[in-house]
Amino acid sequence: MLGKELRALREQNDLTAESVSLELGFSRSKVSRVESGDIPLPKLADLERLMDRYGVKDPADRDALLSMQRGSLSKEPYTSYRNALPSGMPLYLGLEHDAIRIRGYQNNSVFGLLQDESYARAQMQSAKIVEERTTDAVEQAIRVRMERKKRLTSADGPEIHVILTENSLTTAIGSPEVMRVQYAEIIRLTKLENVEVQIIPRDLLTYRSDWNFTMLEFDGLDPVVQSDSYKATTMWSKESDVGQYKRQFDNMAKIAPGPHETPQFLKNLEKKLWK
């Protein structure tokens, strides 16, 4: 849908795909494949430049194209892993890939983007038989998780703010060594300028959300929230729904110890639990 609209706009302006690619610094192949629907347009900035070049000024028209672009992200960049992912996950991963800010809350295990590979493997292996997953499917899922994590250290990586409960860090996954390595990985990631992690201690009297959730924010698009509940993963985009999750997150972030306290909290927890 987006590709057809872009092609129509280009032709209305009497432009060739080659001239557009040269002017905007795109490859000729990229322009053609986007227009034919073979690949999505992953960067919002690229769409903004195309709309400017094609003279799309009406806010409603721009919003319509931006919505189409969001839909096309469901194919990017994990198409090759589609068979190994749960239903609805490719859409979420496409949106996550283009988010400029990610805020997550996790109450029962370590947030996915913070997981060390050994922790991710132990977690998925423990569920392999129950979820009737093959060894190949598990390995593919681990590779997807590690690929997602690379964005944290990329030049255009998103801002990450994660709130974990102490429960998510004391639930044994794998072995004491796996847990020690996982703690060290979180400490390493908190040294990045774009990553903040807060932990709600077990004995802190404060609000805790019943369900895990992740809020994705974009450049030029409204935020969305993915939440987990019993037997369901739901995407929320309605302003009132997103606002509810934002209030939950902001409340927990305000009460929990600051990000600067996280490394020492983990070190103390390691000494206490994983000797």
Side-chain angles (χ1 to χ4, degrees), residues 39-51:
I39 62 171
L41 190 64
K43 293 185 178 180
L44 291 172
D46 288 347
L47 178 56
E48 294 279 2
R49 294 173 65 197
L50 285 170
M51 290 191 294

Side-chain angles (χ1 to χ4, degrees), residues 97 147-158 192 194:
H97 181 264
E147 285 185 21
R148 291 163 59 197
K149 189 175 172 180
K150 290 178 181 178
R151 283 205 68 217
L152 301 189
T153 54
S154 65
D156 61 344
L192 300 175
N194 58 317

Side-chain angles (χ1 to χ4, degrees), residues 71-175:
S72 72
L73 289 176
S74 63
K75 301 178 181 178
E76 177 71 26
Y78 302 101
T79 302
S80 61
Y81 297 109
R82 185 173 296 273
N83 293 335
L85 298 172
S87 176
M89 197 61 177
L91 171 59
Y92 170 78
L93 295 181
L95 293 171
E96 180 189 80
H97 181 264
D98 212 52
I100 62 170
R101 189 173 297 105
I102 300 174
R103 289 187 278 182
Y105 166 76
Q106 199 83 7
N107 187 37
N108 51 18
S109 63
V110 174
F111 188 70
L113 291 177
L114 303 180
Q115 290 185 9
D116 174 76
E117 184 171 345
S118 62
Y119 181 98
R121 176 168 280 102
Q123 184 184 52
M124 294 183 190
Q125 287 285 5
S126 68
K128 177 182 174 183
I129 296 177
V130 176
E131 296 179 0
E132 298 182 330
R133 305 180 74 183
T134 65
T135 298
D136 184 59
V138 169
E139 289 301 317
Q140 287 192 60
I142 294 169
R143 286 197 292 273
V144 169
R145 186 159 295 180
M146 294 304 105
E147 285 185 21
R148 291 163 59 197
K149 189 175 172 180
K150 290 178 181 178
R151 283 205 68 217
L152 301 189
T153 54
S154 65
D156 61 344
E159 295 178 15
I160 306 289
H161 187 175
V162 175
I163 298 175
L164 303 172
T165 64
E166 184 175 342
N167 178 63
S168 68
L169 294 160
T170 58
T171 300
I173 301 293
S175 66

Side-chain angles (χ1 to χ4, degrees), residues 30 67 162 194 207 239 264:
K30 177 178 178 178
S67 295
V162 175
N194 58 317
Y207 168 80
E239 184 176 356
Q264 190 59 53

Side-chain angles (χ1 to χ4, degrees), residues 46-75:
D46 288 347
L47 178 56
E48 294 279 2
R49 294 173 65 197
L50 285 170
M51 290 191 294
D52 291 342
R53 181 62 185 87
Y54 297 158
V56 182
K57 298 179 179 179
D58 187 279
D61 292 337
R62 294 179 74 94
D63 286 346
L65 289 170
L66 287 169
S67 295
M68 293 179 195
Q69 193 266 355
R70 175 187 287 180
S72 72
L73 289 176
S74 63
K75 301 178 181 178

Side-chain angles (χ1 to χ4, degrees), residues 105 163 200 207-209 248-256:
Y105 166 76
I163 298 175
I200 302 178
Y207 168 80
R208 294 168 176 79
S209 176
Q248 293 179 31
F249 187 91
D250 289 347
N251 178 272
M252 292 186 289
K254 182 179 180 180
I255 301 300

